[in-house]
CSV table of all heavy atoms in Angstrom, one decimal:
chain,number,residue,atom,x,y,z
A,105,GLU,N,85.9,121.8,84.7
A,105,GLU,CA,87.4,121.5,84.6
A,105,GLU,C,87.7,120.4,85.6
A,105,GLU,O,88.6,119.4,85.3
A,105,GLU,CB,88.2,122.7,84.9
A,105,GLU,CG,88.2,123.8,83.7
A,105,GLU,CD,89.0,125.0,84.0
A,105,GLU,OE1,89.9,124.9,85.0
A,105,GLU,OE2,88.7,126.0,83.5
A,106,PHE,N,87.2,120.5,86.8
A,106,PHE,CA,87.4,119.5,87.8
A,106,PHE,C,86.9,118.1,87.3
A,106,PHE,O,87.6,117.0,87.5
A,106,PHE,CB,86.6,119.9,89.1
A,106,PHE,CG,86.5,118.7,90.0
A,106,PHE,CD1,87.5,118.2,90.8
A,106,PHE,CD2,85.2,118.1,90.2
A,106,PHE,CE1,87.4,117.1,91.7
A,106,PHE,CE2,85.0,117.0,91.1
A,106,PHE,CZ,86.1,116.6,91.8
A,107,VAL,N,85.7,118.1,86.7
A,107,VAL,CA,85.1,116.8,86.3
A,107,VAL,C,86.0,116.2,85.1
A,107,VAL,O,86.2,115.0,85.0
A,107,VAL,CB,83.7,117.0,85.8
A,107,VAL,CG1,83.1,115.7,85.1
A,107,VAL,CG2,82.8,117.4,87.0
A,108,THR,N,86.4,117.0,84.2
A,108,THR,CA,87.3,116.6,83.1
A,108,THR,C,88.6,115.9,83.7
A,108,THR,O,89.0,114.9,83.3
A,108,THR,CB,87.7,117.8,82.2
A,108,THR,OG1,86.5,118.3,81.7
A,108,THR,CG2,88.5,117.3,81.1
A,109,ARG,N,89.2,116.7,84.6
A,109,ARG,CA,90.4,116.1,85.3
A,109,ARG,C,90.2,114.8,86.1
A,109,ARG,O,91.0,113.9,85.9
A,109,ARG,CB,91.0,117.1,86.2
A,109,ARG,CG,91.7,118.3,85.5
A,109,ARG,CD,92.6,119.2,86.5
A,109,ARG,NE,91.9,119.5,87.8
A,109,ARG,CZ,91.1,120.5,87.9
A,109,ARG,NH1,91.0,121.4,87.0
A,109,ARG,NH2,90.6,120.8,89.1
A,110,LEU,N,89.1,114.7,86.7
A,110,LEU,CA,88.7,113.5,87.4
A,110,LEU,C,88.6,112.3,86.5
A,110,LEU,O,89.1,111.2,86.6
A,110,LEU,CB,87.5,113.7,88.3
A,110,LEU,CG,87.0,112.5,89.1
A,110,LEU,CD1,88.1,112.2,90.2
A,110,LEU,CD2,85.7,112.9,89.7
A,111,ALA,N,87.9,112.5,85.4
A,111,ALA,CA,87.6,111.5,84.4
A,111,ALA,C,88.9,111.1,83.7
A,111,ALA,O,89.2,109.9,83.5
A,111,ALA,CB,86.6,112.0,83.3
A,112,ARG,N,89.8,112.0,83.4
A,112,ARG,CA,91.1,111.7,82.8
A,112,ARG,C,91.9,110.9,83.8
A,112,ARG,O,92.5,109.9,83.4
A,112,ARG,CB,91.8,113.0,82.4
A,112,ARG,CG,93.0,112.9,81.5
A,112,ARG,CD,93.6,114.1,81.0
A,112,ARG,NE,92.7,115.0,80.4
A,112,ARG,CZ,92.4,116.3,80.7
A,112,ARG,NH1,93.2,116.8,81.7
A,112,ARG,NH2,91.6,117.0,80.1
A,113,HIS,N,91.9,111.3,85.0
A,113,HIS,CA,92.7,110.6,86.0
A,113,HIS,C,92.2,109.2,86.3
A,113,HIS,O,93.0,108.2,86.3
A,113,HIS,CB,92.7,111.4,87.4
A,113,HIS,CG,93.3,110.7,88.5
A,113,HIS,ND1,94.7,110.5,88.7
A,113,HIS,CD2,92.8,110.1,89.6
A,113,HIS,CE1,94.9,109.8,89.8
A,113,HIS,NE2,93.8,109.5,90.4
A,114,MET,N,90.9,109.0,86.4
A,114,MET,CA,90.4,107.7,86.7
A,114,MET,C,90.2,106.8,85.5
A,114,MET,O,90.2,105.6,85.7
A,114,MET,CB,89.0,107.9,87.4
A,114,MET,CG,89.2,108.6,88.8
A,114,MET,SD,87.7,108.7,89.8
A,114,MET,CE,87.9,107.1,90.6
A,115,ALA,N,90.1,107.4,84.4
A,115,ALA,CA,90.0,106.6,83.1
A,115,ALA,C,89.0,105.5,83.2
A,115,ALA,O,89.3,104.3,83.0
A,115,ALA,CB,91.4,106.0,82.7
A,116,PRO,N,87.7,105.8,83.4
A,116,PRO,CA,86.7,104.8,83.5
A,116,PRO,C,86.4,104.1,82.2
A,116,PRO,O,86.6,104.8,81.2
A,116,PRO,CB,85.5,105.5,84.0
A,116,PRO,CG,85.6,106.9,83.5
A,116,PRO,CD,87.2,107.2,83.5
A,117,LYS,N,85.9,102.9,82.2
A,117,LYS,CA,85.5,102.3,81.0
A,117,LYS,C,84.1,102.8,80.5
A,117,LYS,O,83.9,102.9,79.3
A,117,LYS,CB,85.4,100.8,81.2
A,117,LYS,CG,86.7,100.1,81.4
A,117,LYS,CD,86.5,98.6,81.6
A,117,LYS,CE,87.9,97.9,81.8
A,117,LYS,NZ,87.7,96.5,82.1
A,118,ILE,N,83.3,103.1,81.5
A,118,ILE,CA,81.9,103.5,81.2
A,118,ILE,C,81.6,104.8,82.0
A,118,ILE,O,81.8,104.8,83.2
A,118,ILE,CB,80.9,102.5,81.4
A,118,ILE,CG1,81.1,101.2,80.6
A,118,ILE,CG2,79.5,103.0,81.1
A,118,ILE,CD1,80.8,101.2,79.2
A,119,ILE,N,81.0,105.8,81.4
A,119,ILE,CA,80.4,106.9,82.2
A,119,ILE,C,78.9,107.0,81.7
A,119,ILE,O,78.7,107.0,80.5
A,119,ILE,CB,81.0,108.2,81.9
A,119,ILE,CG1,82.5,108.2,82.2
A,119,ILE,CG2,80.3,109.4,82.6
A,119,ILE,CD1,83.3,109.4,81.7
Side-chain angles (χ1 to χ4, degrees):
E105 289 178 23
F106 163 76
V107 172
T108 301
R109 286 193 311 272
L110 183 65
R112 193 176 305 128
H113 172 72
M114 298 190 83
K117 292 181 181 177
I118 304 276
I119 300 169

